[in-house]
Amino acid sequence: MSTITKSVDVEAPVTDVYNQWTQFADFPHFMEGVERVEQRDNTHTHWTITVAGVSREFDATITEQHPDERVAWKSDDGPNHAGVVTVHRLDEHKTRVTVQMDIDPEGFVENVADKLGILDRRVQGDLDRFKTFLENRGGSETGAWRGDVQRPGQS
């Protein structure tokens, strides 16, 4: 299991940054290898990705979500991974987005990519493209989901 932690500062208010991150269907616009993300309900998503030319599908569960703070998830099947995205207000018009992922690379290609630091660079590239995606829109998000999902075992 590898842990990847990356961040980027986005020229947009924290609410707009958070709102955009909740728009999973837009992930293919800035995440390399993500072909499609379908939100099935408030806590379940279905992903279609391409890794080294191979198409894969998996489901993931949002395990915790708090507006303007964080979105955490874990995979239900497919590549074993979990993570959290946090947004931190730096000032009125600037937000730091931090991704922390625990990933268990599946298969030879993913293990080699992990060992060579390719996964680290891919996550940073995705964050950099997210920044560009939002800033090119003038900081305006494409939508928002402001619901709250409590961590399992909390009420």
Side-chain angles (χ1 to χ4, degrees), residues 8 19 28 39 63 86 94:
V8 69
N19 287 348
Q39 183 147 8
T63 58
T86 56
K94 190 177 222 173

Side-chain angles (χ1 to χ4, degrees), residues 100-116:
Q100 182 177 346
M101 283 181 60
D102 293 324
I103 187 163
D104 191 5
E106 186 177 86
F108 177 75
V109 172
E110 288 89 343
N111 275 290
V112 169
D114 183 36
K115 301 278 187 278
L116 294 175

Side-chain angles (χ1 to χ4, degrees), residues 98-132:
T98 301
V99 173
Q100 182 177 346
M101 283 181 60
D102 293 324
I103 187 163
D104 191 5
E106 186 177 86
F108 177 75
V109 172
E110 288 89 343
N111 275 290
V112 169
D114 183 36
K115 301 278 187 278
L116 294 175
I118 294 169
L119 296 177
D120 278 10
R121 288 191 298 278
R122 187 178 221 179
V123 171
Q124 186 63 56
D126 290 346
L127 281 174
D128 293 343
R129 286 184 294 276
F130 173 78
K131 169 187 172 72
T132 300

